[in-house]
Amino acid sequence: MMAGMTGEETRTAMAPPIRSSAQDAELQPPAARAWMTRVVIIGIVLTALNLRPAITSLGALLEEVRDGLGMSGSFAGLLTSVPPLCFAVFGVMAPRLARRFGPAAVVCAGMVAIAAGLAIRPFAGNTAGFLVASALALMGIAVSNVLMPVIVKRWFPDRVGSMTGLYSMALALGTAAAAAVTVPMTRSLGGSWHAGLAVWAGLAAVAVLPWIPLVRARGTALSADAAPASAPAPVAPARDASSASAGGQEPAPLRITRSRTAWTLAVFFGLQATAAYITMGWMAQIFRDAGVPAGTAGLLLAVTMVMGVPLAFVIPRLATRLPHQGPIVVALGVCGLVGYAGLYLAPAGGAWAWALLLGIANCAFPLALTMVGMRARTGAGVAQLSAFAQSTGYLISIPGPLLVGVLYQHSGGWGLPIALMAGLMIPQIVVGILAGRDRTVEDEAARRR
């Protein structure tokens, strides 16, 4: 039997088993395991709170930053395209880093990068330095974006919907808080946009703390791997039985690009990300240009973001109970179309209604995360699908915010940019319906080998 194995199969069979932090926790006494589970929940919530303030705090002060750094409208559009670019480039590295160092260590490093980038960028002194420091923070966000579904799947395999909802709710709360309080906080700090942006580094620094004991616990467990070979192999009940081959080995990677569901989910993720980053980067400016005061425009953006707090908890739980998530996709898309129509016809007169409707539409993000967990059976499958869908999706989303900036500058108004936003909602609905079908990437990849 061994003689018939390929070289790759032999290397896989001989490779040492890779344990996750969840498996390491199984080696601990029950009280220690319960404590570590609580730490993981705290870490997930604090991490999620930090995954968008770097973007929405900038959106609230974009006009001040543009004036301070001498940016054109087109370059500001480029600046709003930097987040999806970084998410695509750095997010694809997350699964490999997680296999090498463990998901907790990578997320911990990600929080450090966010704190450092947000502390440095307001004081970089020029546009280039601002972009580089922003990229450092966004690199930390990118790897954490990809690994959050993985951590949820590994630590809470029976509560994917509720834990994804908690994570999405915290993410929406952090997004909304940054949009709402950045302007008034800047005023209270003397009116300097530098201080108003830098203050968010403190929240990221706090998020580093819960991951430190998880990284140390993994390091201790890995040190124990040097024990004699006669020591009994640990058994981890929380781990997917299907995610390991005989002898506790990780399965060979899926050929994820052969799955139609993976592609439709990636495109859906990309289109909803396009809408989200256009909203975060430009919606406050749309309201300001319509005559809405800066502080109120920031509050309107916050309303859009805060809609994700309750809905991000409800939608994943509802999605996991439905055999097909298409109806949710359609409902969110219709809200987006109505919101864009209102933003075009009466941006100031119905501002609060449009902000509310676009906030509902932006809840396609927690739905996409939930579908990532549902469209793969195993932890390894979720890691691959999450990296593929998010990296490919963020690549798709890169031109959107930049194109909005170009159209705005050359047309002199918001008519064409809003028409673009509404037009992109149609394919988002179509691919979302396809991605919502009850299928798994493992089955599709196997059928196409």
Side-chain angles (χ1 to χ4, degrees), residues 114-425:
I114 295 172
L118 294 186
I120 294 170
R121 77 173 180 177
F123 307 104
N126 54 55
T127 301
F130 191 92
L131 284 174
V132 170
S134 294
L136 175 61
L138 293 167
M139 177 176 65
I141 296 173
V143 294
S144 302
N145 272 337
V146 171
L147 294 180
M148 281 296 99
V150 178
I151 289 173
V152 167
K153 184 78 169 182
R154 288 185 175 183
W155 279 87
F156 309 98
D158 300 326
R159 290 184 283 165
V160 170
S162 59
M163 291 305 301
T164 300
L166 178 64
Y167 152 67
S168 301
M169 186 170 64
L171 188 150
L173 183 61
T175 306
V181 307
T182 296
V183 171
M185 187 165 54
T186 300
R187 290 172 179 164
S188 68
L189 293 172
S192 169
W193 63 264
H194 305 81
L197 292 182
V199 72
W200 294 103
L203 182 62
V206 173
V208 174
L209 302 178
W211 297 106
I212 294 174
L214 297 171
V215 174
R216 295 182 64 183
R218 175 181 168 85
T220 302
L222 290 177
S223 298
D225 289 344
S230 58
V235 178
R239 188 186 187 191
D240 284 329
S242 58
S243 70
S245 58
Q249 311 304 321
E250 293 288 332
L254 293 169
R255 295 188 176 183
I256 198 76
T257 56
R258 296 190 175 189
S259 167
R260 292 177 182 173
T261 295
W263 279 106
T264 56
L265 188 52
V267 176
F268 176 68
F269 198 99
L271 291 174
Q272 67 81 28
T274 300
Y277 287 105
I278 289 173
T279 298
M280 286 186 280
W282 289 108
M283 199 175 85
Q285 191 64 48
I286 292 174
F287 286 127
R288 291 178 72 168
D289 286 352
V292 176
T296 304
L299 286 176
L300 287 165
L301 178 58
V303 168
T304 301
M305 300 297 109
V306 83
M307 286 306 301
V309 176
L311 291 180
F313 191 71
V314 173
I315 287 175
R317 292 171 68 89
L318 177 61
T320 55
R321 295 175 183 177
L322 294 177
H324 194 303
Q325 289 73 49
I328 305 177
V329 171
V330 173
L332 298 178
V334 169
C335 288
L337 290 172
V338 175
Y340 288 131
L343 203 59
Y344 178 83
L345 296 172
W352 294 100
W354 318 141
L356 189 70
L357 287 168
L358 292 174
I360 295 172
N362 277 350
C363 288
F365 175 71
L367 177 61
L369 288 180
T370 305
M371 288 197 287
V372 166
M374 296 177 68
R375 298 286 90 89
R377 286 198 306 270
T378 67
V382 170
Q384 280 190 259
L385 179 58
S386 180
F388 176 76
Q390 294 199 45
S391 295
T392 305
Y394 285 127
L395 277 175
I396 292 171
S397 72
I398 290 170
L402 175 60
L403 186 55
V404 165
V406 172
L407 289 175
Y408 170 58
Q409 179 166 341
H410 290 281
S411 68
W414 288 106
L416 286 178
I418 293 172
L420 171 67
M421 300 177 211
L424 290 175
M425 190 60 67

Side-chain angles (χ1 to χ4, degrees), residues 1-16 249 252:
M1 181 175 178
M2 290 292 292
M5 297 176 68
T6 66
E8 182 178 351
E9 290 168 335
T10 302
R11 288 192 298 271
T12 301
M14 296 177 65
Q249 311 304 321

